[in-house]
């Protein structure tokens, strides 16, 4: 069916097009009785303002924000972190009547091209940047494009863009000290991609804590956050001549895959191997043994970062904000080394 127009409303109400415009935009020029009648007819006809047209007006907004994710598309639908993050963003935006435009990109260049297209076509009012990279080109690009942005990550390397960040280094240091207190010496961290800023920060914290605890054999290996990569990496580590006695994973999916590989290879958790996950989704509590994890309010982080962008779009000054530290939740997958 054809989208109803202002002219359709004017004909149904028996008034001029200008009177309809005054009524729909809350401007003076019509009586309250006429305004209410026009609004009622517009509602009955299913009329809604055109976002592209509204965006062309001075100070106009489309009513949508964008988020581009450069991760394997096959894993996004099952990765707890992004499911919780998007849920938080959507919840905050829905309360303000704003839509979220989510797109997956193959690489950083493709992501930048999406931003350029969105800016040229006025598809979104602003964007949330995720997975901040080392020497990330996106903050600089946002300085050129007419596209306000908030970064989930930082605080360094954001190019002056407002950011919501977490001290991941402090959390990983707590994990290392906890495992060392349980008697573990061969601790391996299965991390995400090396070029992510949060990966770098966690690696620095891990190395610092390992030195402090005298864990000469502690080390970090890298995967891509998928369960497949987590499983392959775990299988290789456990097949070594001197396998690790504790594994720390950078997300839930890899930790769950690692737990499955340990069972497959006859390695008992936690008497022979302790496992720690990150983010602490419901999956960590549903498996047996339940997974020890760093718990973070990812849903809440989504709400906060979306709110920051909304305030930025409203012309407010938005400062960087630090989230509370992740909390270590000990469960059945960790324990003293007994064999």
């Amino acid at each position: 069916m054809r989208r109803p127009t202002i002219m359709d409303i004017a004909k149904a109400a028996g008034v001029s097009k200008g009177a309809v415009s005054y009524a729909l935009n809350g401007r003076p020029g019509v009586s309250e009785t006429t305004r209410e009648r026009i609004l009622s007819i517009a509602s009955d006809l299913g009329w809604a303002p055109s976002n592209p047209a509204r965006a062309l007006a001075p100070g106009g907004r489309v009513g949508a924000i964008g988020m581009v994710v450069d991760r394997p598309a096959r894993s996004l639908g099952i990765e707890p972190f992004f499911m919780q993050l998007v849920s938080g963003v959507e919840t905050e935006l829905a309360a303000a009547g704003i839509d979220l435009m989510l797109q997956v990109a193959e690489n950083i260049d493709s992501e930048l091209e999406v931003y350029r297209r969105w800016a040229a076509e006025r598809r979104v009012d602003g964007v949330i940047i995720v997975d901040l990279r080392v020497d990330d080109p996106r903050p600089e690009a946002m300085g050129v494009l007419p596209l306000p942005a908030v970064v989930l990550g930082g605080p360094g390397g954001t190019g002056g863009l407002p950011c919501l960040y977490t001290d991941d280094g402090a959390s990983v240091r707590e994990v290392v000290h906890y495992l060392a207190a349980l008697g573990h010496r061969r601790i391996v961290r299965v991390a995400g991609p090396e070029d992510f800023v949060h990966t770098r920060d966690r690696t620095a914290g891990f190395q610092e804590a390992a030195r402090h605890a005298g864990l000469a054999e502690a080390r970090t290996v890298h995967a891509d956050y998928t369960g497949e990569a987590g499983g392959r990496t775990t299988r290789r580590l456990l097949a070594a001549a001197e396998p690790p006695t504790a594994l720390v994973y950078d997300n839930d999916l890899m930790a769950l895959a690692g737990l499955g590989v340990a069972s497959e290879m006859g390695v008992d958790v936690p008497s022979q191997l302790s496992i720690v996950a990150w983010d602490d989704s419901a999956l960590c509590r549903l498996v047996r043994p339940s997974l020890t994890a760093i718990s973070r309010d990812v849903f809440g982080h989504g709400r906060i970062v979306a709110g920051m962008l909304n305030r930025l779009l409203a012309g407010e000054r938005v400062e960087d904000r630090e989230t509370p530290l992740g909390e270590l939740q000990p469960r059945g997958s960790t324990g003293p080394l007994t064999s």
Side-chain angles (χ1 to χ4, degrees):
M1 296 179 61
R2 182 176 65 86
R3 179 191 178 110
T5 65
I6 287 180
M7 184 59 72
D8 295 328
I9 300 171
K11 289 180 179 179
V15 298
S16 68
K17 184 178 176 181
V20 173
S21 179
Y22 293 147
L24 294 178
N25 291 292
R27 294 163 55 194
V30 294
S31 68
E32 282 306 311
T33 300
T34 301
R35 187 188 309 278
E36 291 176 5
R37 184 163 60 89
I38 290 173
L39 292 175
S40 177
I41 290 172
S43 176
D44 291 342
L45 292 176
W47 178 88
S50 167
N51 283 344
R54 186 167 59 184
L56 292 174
R61 289 175 58 176
V62 175
I65 68 168
M67 187 164 72
V68 183
V69 182
D70 177 12
R71 294 275 189 99
R74 67 183 184 279
S75 68
L76 284 181
I78 58 173
E79 185 172 19
F81 173 84
F82 270 105
M83 293 174 67
Q84 293 176 61
L85 179 67
V86 170
S87 294
V89 170
E90 285 273 24
T91 298
E92 185 68 19
L93 295 181
I98 298 172
D99 298 325
L100 173 66
M101 184 173 293
L102 181 66
Q103 185 159 334
V104 177
E106 295 181 357
N107 51 52
I108 201 77
D109 291 332
S110 299
E111 183 173 342
L112 288 169
E113 186 56 39
V114 171
Y115 295 141
R116 296 186 189 101
R117 176 168 54 82
W118 280 352
E121 298 176 359
R122 294 299 304 274
R123 300 290 296 278
V124 298
D125 297 310
V127 297
I128 296 172
I129 296 176
V130 297
D131 287 337
L132 189 66
R133 267 74 164 183
V134 178
D135 299 323
D136 200 316
R138 293 174 295 175
E140 182 179 354
M142 293 301 109
V144 177
L145 296 174
L147 205 57
V150 172
V151 179
L152 184 62
T158 63
L161 297 177
C163 69
L164 178 69
Y165 67 95
T166 304
D167 184 357
D168 282 338
S171 295
V172 80
R173 286 193 293 271
E174 182 181 6
V175 171
V176 172
H177 292 312
Y178 168 69
L179 292 173
L182 292 175
H184 295 278
R185 311 300 297 173
R186 295 195 301 275
I187 304 173
V188 176
R189 175 170 154 262
V190 182
E194 290 184 77
D195 63 334
F196 286 174
V197 167
H198 65 262
T199 301
R200 180 198 62 187
D201 292 344
R202 293 180 192 180
T203 299
F206 183 83
Q207 292 171 341
E208 178 187 339
R211 286 194 301 269
H212 185 269
L215 305 178
E217 297 179 77
R219 59 193 176 97
T220 294
V221 297
H222 294 274
D224 66 359
Y225 287 125
T226 64
E228 293 84 357
R232 287 194 304 269
T233 302
T234 303
R235 194 171 289 109
R236 184 174 67 251
L237 291 169
L238 295 183
E242 290 190 318
T245 63
L247 291 171
V248 181
Y249 295 87
D250 264 15
N251 76 343
D252 291 356
L253 280 184
M254 295 194 297
L256 289 166
L259 181 63
V261 168
S263 176
E264 163 200 318
M265 298 180 69
V267 178
D268 183 69
V269 176
S271 66
Q272 294 176 291
L273 176 69
S274 283
I275 292 178
V276 179
W278 210 277
D279 293 329
D280 195 23
S281 70
L283 296 177
C284 292
R285 299 181 290 278
L286 293 175
V287 295
R288 290 294 178 269
S290 56
L291 289 175
T292 294
I294 291 292
S295 180
R296 300 192 297 167
D297 183 11
V298 179
F299 176 87
H301 296 177
R303 295 201 64 171
I304 293 170
V305 76
M308 290 172 66
L309 182 55
N310 277 342
R311 294 195 301 276
L312 185 67
L313 294 174
E316 297 180 28
R317 179 178 176 83
V318 178
E319 302 287 348
D320 294 350
R321 182 169 174 180
E322 183 176 4
T323 70
L325 293 177
E327 295 184 6
L328 179 64
Q329 302 290 341
R331 299 196 182 97
S333 68
T334 52
L337 189 62
T338 60
S339 61

